[in-house]
Amino acid sequence: MTEPDTAAGKGKALLVRRRPAWLPWAFGLVVVLACLGLQSQLYTGQERTITTVFMFVALAVAWNLIGGYTGYACFGQVGFFGLGAYTTVVLVVHGGLSFWIALPVSAVVAAVFAGLIGLPLLRLKGHYFAVATLGVAEGLRELVTNVPRWTGGGAGITIPSTGDRAPTQWLGNDGFYLLFLALAVVAAVVVALISRGRTGYALRVINQDEDAAAAMGVNTTWAKTVAFGVSAALTGATGAAYAFQQVSIYPERLFDVNITVLMVVMVVIGGAGTISGPILGAAAIAIASEYLRQHFTEVHTLTLGVLIIVAVILLPQGVVNFARDAVRDRDYSLLSNVRRYRL
Protein backbone atom coordinates (compact mmCIF):
# COMPACT_ATOMS: atom_id res chain seq x y z
CA MET A 1 0.00 0.00 0.00
CA THR A 2 2.80 2.37 0.85
CA GLU A 3 4.61 2.09 -2.47
CA PRO A 4 1.73 3.05 -4.81
CA ASP A 5 0.75 5.92 -2.50
CA THR A 6 4.28 7.16 -2.45
CA ALA A 7 4.55 6.88 -6.23
CA ALA A 8 1.30 8.75 -6.67
CA GLY A 9 2.52 11.46 -4.33
CA LYS A 10 5.74 11.78 -6.28
CA GLY A 11 3.75 11.97 -9.50
CA LYS A 12 1.64 14.81 -8.13
CA ALA A 13 4.75 16.57 -6.95
CA LEU A 14 6.28 16.25 -10.40
CA LEU A 15 3.12 17.66 -11.97
CA VAL A 16 3.31 20.62 -9.64
CA ARG A 17 6.96 21.21 -10.47
CA ARG A 18 6.28 20.94 -14.19
CA ARG A 19 3.70 23.73 -14.10
CA PRO A 20 5.23 26.60 -16.07
CA ALA A 21 6.33 29.48 -13.87
CA TRP A 22 4.83 31.97 -16.32
CA LEU A 23 1.32 30.43 -16.12
CA PRO A 24 0.08 32.46 -13.08
CA TRP A 25 1.45 35.66 -14.62
CA ALA A 26 -0.29 34.91 -17.92
CA PHE A 27 -3.55 34.20 -16.11
CA GLY A 28 -3.22 37.46 -14.19
CA LEU A 29 -2.62 39.36 -17.45
CA VAL A 30 -5.78 37.84 -18.93
CA VAL A 31 -7.78 38.92 -15.87
CA VAL A 32 -6.44 42.48 -16.11
CA LEU A 33 -7.26 42.67 -19.83
CA ALA A 34 -10.74 41.33 -19.09
CA CYS A 35 -11.24 44.06 -16.46
CA LEU A 36 -10.16 46.69 -18.99
CA GLY A 37 -12.54 45.30 -21.59
CA LEU A 38 -15.36 45.04 -19.08
CA GLN A 39 -15.29 48.76 -18.27
CA SER A 40 -17.06 49.87 -21.44
CA GLN A 41 -19.92 47.45 -20.73
CA LEU A 42 -20.68 48.71 -17.22
CA TYR A 43 -23.30 51.18 -16.09
CA THR A 44 -22.18 53.97 -13.75
CA GLY A 45 -23.34 52.18 -10.60
CA GLN A 46 -21.72 48.91 -11.65
CA GLU A 47 -18.49 50.72 -12.47
CA ARG A 48 -18.40 52.23 -8.98
CA THR A 49 -19.00 48.82 -7.43
CA ILE A 50 -16.15 47.24 -9.36
CA THR A 51 -13.94 50.20 -8.47
CA THR A 52 -14.67 49.48 -4.80
CA VAL A 53 -13.76 45.84 -5.39
CA PHE A 54 -10.38 46.91 -6.82
CA MET A 55 -9.77 49.09 -3.78
CA PHE A 56 -10.43 46.25 -1.35
CA VAL A 57 -8.34 43.87 -3.45
CA ALA A 58 -5.38 46.24 -3.00
CA LEU A 59 -6.06 46.55 0.76
CA ALA A 60 -6.55 42.81 1.33
CA VAL A 61 -3.43 41.89 -0.65
CA ALA A 62 -1.42 44.45 1.33
CA TRP A 63 -2.69 43.16 4.70
CA ASN A 64 -1.98 39.58 3.61
CA LEU A 65 1.74 40.34 3.43
CA ILE A 66 2.01 41.05 7.15
CA GLY A 67 -1.02 39.15 8.45
CA GLY A 68 -1.09 36.15 6.10
CA TYR A 69 2.54 35.43 5.23
CA THR A 70 4.14 36.63 8.46
CA GLY A 71 1.33 35.71 10.84
CA TYR A 72 1.29 39.12 12.58
CA ALA A 73 -2.38 40.13 12.79
CA CYS A 74 -2.25 43.90 12.28
CA PHE A 75 -5.53 45.41 13.47
CA GLY A 76 -4.28 48.95 12.92
CA GLN A 77 -3.90 48.71 9.16
CA VAL A 78 -6.55 51.37 8.70
CA GLY A 79 -4.10 53.80 10.33
CA PHE A 80 -1.87 53.59 7.22
CA PHE A 81 -4.96 54.04 5.06
CA GLY A 82 -5.86 57.26 6.87
CA LEU A 83 -2.25 58.42 7.04
CA GLY A 84 -1.91 58.09 3.26
CA ALA A 85 -5.18 59.93 2.74
CA TYR A 86 -4.31 62.87 4.99
CA THR A 87 -0.78 63.13 3.64
CA THR A 88 -2.33 63.62 0.21
CA VAL A 89 -4.73 66.19 1.61
CA VAL A 90 -1.94 68.23 3.19
CA LEU A 91 0.21 68.10 0.06
CA VAL A 92 -2.61 68.99 -2.33
CA VAL A 93 -4.53 71.51 -0.21
CA HIS A 94 -1.68 73.26 1.60
CA GLY A 95 1.24 72.48 -0.69
CA GLY A 96 -0.59 72.93 -3.97
CA LEU A 97 1.06 69.78 -5.34
CA SER A 98 -0.38 67.54 -8.01
CA PHE A 99 -2.21 64.42 -6.84
CA TRP A 100 0.21 62.38 -8.94
CA ILE A 101 3.07 63.64 -6.78
CA ALA A 102 1.12 63.30 -3.53
CA LEU A 103 0.21 59.66 -4.22
CA PRO A 104 3.74 58.17 -4.16
CA VAL A 105 4.82 60.54 -1.38
CA SER A 106 1.90 59.30 0.74
CA ALA A 107 3.03 55.71 0.18
CA VAL A 108 6.57 56.59 1.25
CA VAL A 109 5.34 58.43 4.36
CA ALA A 110 3.22 55.41 5.37
CA ALA A 111 6.16 53.06 4.81
CA VAL A 112 8.58 55.19 6.84
CA PHE A 113 6.06 55.52 9.65
CA ALA A 114 5.52 51.75 9.63
CA GLY A 115 9.26 51.19 9.77
CA LEU A 116 9.64 53.49 12.78
CA ILE A 117 6.80 51.97 14.81
CA GLY A 118 7.52 48.49 13.50
CA LEU A 119 10.89 48.24 15.22
CA PRO A 120 9.33 48.21 18.72
CA LEU A 121 5.87 46.81 17.84
CA LEU A 122 7.11 43.82 15.87
CA ARG A 123 8.82 42.55 19.00
CA LEU A 124 5.33 41.87 20.35
CA LYS A 125 3.46 38.72 19.39
CA GLY A 126 -0.11 37.51 19.09
CA HIS A 127 -2.86 39.65 20.55
CA TYR A 128 -0.31 42.06 22.08
CA PHE A 129 0.76 43.10 18.59
CA ALA A 130 -2.87 43.32 17.40
CA VAL A 131 -3.88 45.58 20.30
CA ALA A 132 -0.78 47.76 19.95
CA THR A 133 -1.41 48.41 16.24
CA LEU A 134 -5.05 49.16 16.97
CA GLY A 135 -3.85 51.75 19.47
CA VAL A 136 -1.57 53.32 16.87
CA ALA A 137 -4.50 53.74 14.47
CA GLU A 138 -6.60 55.35 17.18
CA GLY A 139 -3.70 57.65 18.07
CA LEU A 140 -3.39 58.76 14.44
CA ARG A 141 -7.09 59.54 14.33
CA GLU A 142 -6.82 61.67 17.45
CA LEU A 143 -3.79 63.46 16.00
CA VAL A 144 -5.64 64.27 12.78
CA THR A 145 -8.69 65.45 14.69
CA ASN A 146 -6.64 67.81 16.85
CA VAL A 147 -4.77 69.66 14.11
CA PRO A 148 -7.75 71.29 12.32
CA ARG A 149 -5.56 73.93 10.70
CA TRP A 150 -4.04 71.24 8.50
CA THR A 151 -6.70 68.52 8.36
CA GLY A 152 -9.98 70.30 9.05
CA GLY A 153 -10.32 68.34 12.30
CA GLY A 154 -13.58 66.54 12.95
CA ALA A 155 -15.41 68.83 10.50
CA GLY A 156 -13.47 67.32 7.62
CA ILE A 157 -11.70 68.91 4.69
CA THR A 158 -12.32 69.16 0.98
CA ILE A 159 -9.72 68.67 -1.72
CA PRO A 160 -10.00 71.16 -4.58
CA SER A 161 -10.58 68.88 -7.55
CA THR A 162 -12.39 71.10 -10.05
CA GLY A 163 -11.82 74.61 -11.39
CA ASP A 164 -8.69 76.74 -11.48
CA ARG A 165 -7.76 76.07 -7.81
CA ALA A 166 -7.44 72.35 -8.41
CA PRO A 167 -3.84 71.15 -8.90
CA THR A 168 -5.30 67.97 -10.41
CA GLN A 169 -8.76 67.68 -11.92
CA TRP A 170 -11.09 64.98 -10.56
CA LEU A 171 -10.60 61.80 -12.57
CA GLY A 172 -14.25 60.81 -13.01
CA ASN A 173 -15.65 57.31 -12.68
CA ASP A 174 -13.63 56.00 -15.63
CA GLY A 175 -10.40 57.45 -14.30
CA PHE A 176 -10.83 56.06 -10.78
CA TYR A 177 -11.76 52.65 -12.21
CA LEU A 178 -8.38 52.53 -13.94
CA LEU A 179 -6.53 54.03 -10.97
CA PHE A 180 -7.79 51.48 -8.45
CA LEU A 181 -7.29 48.66 -10.96
CA ALA A 182 -3.67 49.79 -11.31
CA LEU A 183 -3.25 49.90 -7.52
CA ALA A 184 -4.68 46.39 -7.18
CA VAL A 185 -2.34 45.08 -9.89
CA VAL A 186 0.69 46.79 -8.36
CA ALA A 187 -0.16 45.39 -4.92
CA ALA A 188 -0.59 41.85 -6.26
CA VAL A 189 2.63 41.99 -8.30
CA VAL A 190 4.70 43.42 -5.43
CA VAL A 191 3.43 40.85 -2.93
CA ALA A 192 3.90 38.03 -5.45
CA LEU A 193 7.51 39.03 -6.10
CA ILE A 194 8.24 39.31 -2.38
CA SER A 195 6.57 35.99 -1.58
CA ARG A 196 8.68 34.17 -4.17
CA GLY A 197 11.96 35.69 -3.03
CA ARG A 198 14.19 35.18 0.00
CA THR A 199 12.12 37.58 2.08
CA GLY A 200 8.97 35.61 1.30
CA TYR A 201 10.53 32.35 2.43
CA ALA A 202 11.79 34.09 5.56
CA LEU A 203 8.28 35.35 6.32
CA ARG A 204 6.82 31.84 5.98
CA VAL A 205 9.44 30.44 8.35
CA ILE A 206 8.72 33.23 10.83
CA ASN A 207 5.04 32.37 10.61
CA GLN A 208 5.77 28.73 11.46
CA ASP A 209 8.31 29.26 14.24
CA GLU A 210 10.04 32.61 14.68
CA ASP A 211 12.53 31.38 17.27
CA ALA A 212 13.58 28.50 15.02
CA ALA A 213 13.91 30.94 12.11
CA ALA A 214 16.23 33.15 14.14
CA ALA A 215 18.25 30.11 15.20
CA MET A 216 18.62 29.17 11.51
CA GLY A 217 20.16 32.54 10.76
CA VAL A 218 17.10 34.31 9.34
CA ASN A 219 17.19 38.05 10.01
CA THR A 220 13.67 38.09 11.40
CA THR A 221 13.70 41.79 12.34
CA TRP A 222 14.63 42.83 8.81
CA ALA A 223 12.10 40.52 7.15
CA LYS A 224 9.22 41.59 9.40
CA THR A 225 10.04 45.29 9.03
CA VAL A 226 10.18 45.00 5.24
CA ALA A 227 6.82 43.22 5.18
CA PHE A 228 5.28 45.80 7.52
CA GLY A 229 6.68 48.74 5.54
CA VAL A 230 5.65 47.43 2.11
CA SER A 231 2.19 46.55 3.43
CA ALA A 232 1.84 50.07 4.84
CA ALA A 233 3.05 51.69 1.59
CA LEU A 234 0.46 49.83 -0.50
CA THR A 235 -2.27 50.67 2.00
CA GLY A 236 -1.21 54.32 2.20
CA ALA A 237 -1.27 54.68 -1.59
CA THR A 238 -4.77 53.20 -1.66
CA GLY A 239 -5.86 55.63 1.06
CA ALA A 240 -4.46 58.54 -0.98
CA ALA A 241 -6.48 57.48 -4.02
CA TYR A 242 -9.59 57.02 -1.89
CA ALA A 243 -9.24 60.55 -0.46
CA PHE A 244 -8.97 62.07 -3.92
CA GLN A 245 -11.96 60.04 -5.10
CA GLN A 246 -14.16 61.08 -2.17
CA VAL A 247 -13.03 64.76 -2.32
CA SER A 248 -14.40 65.51 1.18
CA ILE A 249 -12.91 63.35 3.92
CA TYR A 250 -13.44 62.94 7.67
CA PRO A 251 -11.38 61.19 10.36
CA GLU A 252 -14.26 58.87 11.32
CA ARG A 253 -14.46 57.51 7.78
CA LEU A 254 -10.74 57.31 7.07
CA PHE A 255 -9.83 55.62 10.38
CA ASP A 256 -12.91 53.37 10.61
CA VAL A 257 -11.76 50.09 12.18
CA ASN A 258 -14.35 48.25 10.08
CA ILE A 259 -12.06 48.76 7.09
CA THR A 260 -9.39 46.71 8.84
CA VAL A 261 -11.95 44.07 9.82
CA LEU A 262 -13.02 43.76 6.19
CA MET A 263 -9.39 43.30 5.10
CA VAL A 264 -8.94 40.49 7.62
CA VAL A 265 -12.21 38.76 6.70
CA MET A 266 -11.43 38.94 2.98
CA VAL A 267 -8.00 37.37 3.49
CA VAL A 268 -9.28 34.66 5.84
CA ILE A 269 -12.12 33.63 3.54
CA GLY A 270 -9.98 33.76 0.39
CA GLY A 271 -6.92 32.07 1.84
CA ALA A 272 -4.20 33.64 3.98
CA GLY A 273 -0.64 33.35 2.77
CA THR A 274 -1.61 33.03 -0.91
CA ILE A 275 -1.67 35.48 -3.81
CA SER A 276 -5.06 34.65 -5.27
CA GLY A 277 -6.85 34.13 -1.94
CA PRO A 278 -7.17 37.80 -0.88
CA ILE A 279 -8.17 38.74 -4.43
CA LEU A 280 -10.98 36.19 -4.47
CA GLY A 281 -12.01 37.02 -0.90
CA ALA A 282 -12.11 40.75 -1.57
CA ALA A 283 -14.13 40.32 -4.75
CA ALA A 284 -16.60 37.91 -3.11
CA ILE A 285 -17.19 40.00 0.03
CA ALA A 286 -17.38 43.36 -1.76
CA ILE A 287 -19.83 42.11 -4.42
CA ALA A 288 -21.95 40.21 -1.88
CA SER A 289 -22.05 43.28 0.39
CA GLU A 290 -23.18 45.53 -2.46
CA TYR A 291 -25.83 43.06 -3.62
CA LEU A 292 -27.24 42.67 -0.11
CA ARG A 293 -27.17 46.44 0.41
CA GLN A 294 -29.29 46.98 -2.69
CA HIS A 295 -31.77 44.09 -2.27
CA PHE A 296 -31.91 43.50 1.50
CA THR A 297 -31.19 46.94 2.93
CA GLU A 298 -32.66 46.40 6.39
CA VAL A 299 -30.89 43.10 7.05
CA HIS A 300 -27.80 43.76 4.97
CA THR A 301 -25.28 43.69 7.81
CA LEU A 302 -26.90 40.73 9.58
CA THR A 303 -27.07 38.61 6.42
CA LEU A 304 -23.49 39.41 5.45
CA GLY A 305 -22.32 38.54 8.97
CA VAL A 306 -24.08 35.17 8.87
CA LEU A 307 -22.58 34.37 5.47
CA ILE A 308 -19.10 35.22 6.75
CA ILE A 309 -19.54 33.04 9.84
CA VAL A 310 -20.72 30.07 7.75
CA ALA A 311 -17.83 30.55 5.31
CA VAL A 312 -15.26 30.68 8.11
CA ILE A 313 -16.69 27.54 9.76
CA LEU A 314 -16.76 25.52 6.54
CA LEU A 315 -13.52 26.92 5.10
CA PRO A 316 -11.33 27.91 8.05
CA GLN A 317 -8.19 27.87 5.90
CA GLY A 318 -9.81 29.80 3.02
CA VAL A 319 -11.14 28.86 -0.39
CA VAL A 320 -7.78 28.65 -2.17
CA ASN A 321 -6.10 26.48 0.47
CA PHE A 322 -9.19 24.23 0.64
CA ALA A 323 -9.18 23.78 -3.14
CA ARG A 324 -5.47 22.96 -3.15
CA ASP A 325 -5.83 20.38 -0.36
CA ALA A 326 -8.96 18.91 -1.95
CA VAL A 327 -7.23 18.35 -5.30
CA ARG A 328 -4.18 16.85 -3.60
CA ASP A 329 -6.17 14.50 -1.33
CA ARG A 330 -9.08 13.96 -3.73
CA ASP A 331 -11.45 14.82 -0.89
CA TYR A 332 -13.89 17.60 -1.76
CA SER A 333 -16.19 17.21 1.27
CA LEU A 334 -16.70 20.33 3.38
CA LEU A 335 -17.61 18.15 6.37
CA SER A 336 -14.27 16.37 6.10
CA ASN A 337 -12.64 19.77 5.95
CA VAL A 338 -14.41 20.83 9.14
CA ARG A 339 -13.34 17.62 10.91
CA ARG A 340 -9.76 18.08 9.72
CA TYR A 341 -9.56 21.39 11.52
CA ARG A 342 -11.51 20.02 14.54
CA LEU A 343 -14.29 22.61 14.45
Side-chain angles (χ1 to χ4, degrees):
M1 291 297 291
T2 305
E3 205 170 314
D5 290 345
T6 304
K10 289 179 178 177
K12 293 174 185 174
L14 286 173
L15 286 176
V16 171
R17 284 198 292 270
R18 286 173 182 170
R19 188 179 66 179
W22 53 264
L23 189 60
W25 297 102
F27 180 74
L29 179 60
V30 170
V31 172
V32 172
L33 293 176
C35 291
L36 292 174
L38 178 66
Q39 186 181 14
S40 61
Q41 307 300 317
L42 297 174
Y43 298 111
T44 302
Q46 294 171 329
E47 191 176 35
R48 289 176 180 170
T49 300
I50 302 300
T51 301
T52 303
V53 171
F54 293 150
M55 184 187 79
F56 276 108
V57 166
L59 293 176
V61 169
W63 187 88
N64 186 44
L65 186 60
I66 184 70
Y69 283 100
T70 316
Y72 276 70
C74 178
F75 273 80
Q77 196 78 359
V78 74
F80 305 129
F81 185 76
L83 180 61
Y86 274 99
T87 300
T88 291
V89 168
V90 170
L91 294 176
V92 173
V93 175
H94 301 289
L97 297 180
S98 164
F99 166 73
W100 300 114
I101 297 176
L103 177 68
V105 172
S106 299
V108 172
V109 169
V112 172
F113 179 75
L116 293 176
I117 66 168
L119 290 175
L121 292 189
L122 288 169
R123 296 180 183 277
L124 304 174
K125 295 181 181 178
H127 56 277
Y128 297 105
F129 176 77
V131 172
T133 54
L134 183 62
V136 169
E138 289 299 308
L140 284 173
R141 181 170 68 172
E142 289 300 316
L143 176 64
V144 166
T145 304
N146 287 285
V147 285
R149 180 179 177 184
W150 293 93
T151 64
I157 190 169
T158 298
I159 301 175
S161 57
T162 57
D164 296 337
R165 292 182 58 248
T168 306
Q169 297 294 317
W170 201 67
L171 303 180
N173 291 324
D174 292 346
F176 283 110
Y177 181 96
L178 297 176
L179 174 59
F180 281 105
L181 173 61
L183 288 172
V185 171
V186 168
V189 170
V190 168
V191 173
L193 292 175
I194 291 176
S195 70
R196 297 183 178 209
R198 291 175 61 88
T199 303
Y201 291 113
L203 297 179
R204 292 188 184 89
V205 176
I206 291 171
N207 194 357
Q208 294 296 319
D209 190 331
E210 187 169 344
D211 294 332
M216 292 166 59
V218 175
N219 189 338
T220 57
T221 301
W222 166 255
K224 290 187 297 183
T225 305
V226 167
F228 201 39
V230 173
S231 177
L234 296 173
T235 305
T238 307
Y242 179 77
F244 192 53
Q245 181 198 35
Q246 296 298 308
V247 180
S248 296
I249 62 172
Y250 307 89
E252 289 75 14
R253 186 188 299 173
L254 269 299
F255 293 95
D256 187 352
V257 71
N258 287 327
I259 296 176
T260 297
V261 173
L262 277 175
M263 294 183 213
V264 177
V265 169
M266 289 168 175
V267 172
V268 169
I269 288 181
T274 65
I275 297 299
S276 56
I279 298 174
L280 293 175
I285 295 296
I287 292 175
S289 175
E290 188 61 27
Y291 178 84
L292 293 172
R293 192 190 311 278
Q294 292 181 4
H295 296 84
F296 304 95
T297 306
E298 295 182 353
V299 292
H300 154 254
T301 304
L302 175 63
T303 308
L304 184 63
V306 171
L307 289 176
I308 290 173
I309 291 171
V310 172
V312 171
I313 291 175
L314 295 179
L315 302 165
Q317 81 281 38
V319 174
V320 172
N321 289 321
F322 166 74
R324 185 167 54 197
D325 293 344
V327 171
R328 183 191 60 203
D329 302 333
R330 298 182 183 279
D331 184 358
Y332 301 92
S333 170
L334 288 175
L335 292 178
S336 297
N337 189 55
V338 173
R339 294 192 198 99
R340 183 183 307 159
Y341 288 91
R342 299 179 180 178
L343 293 175

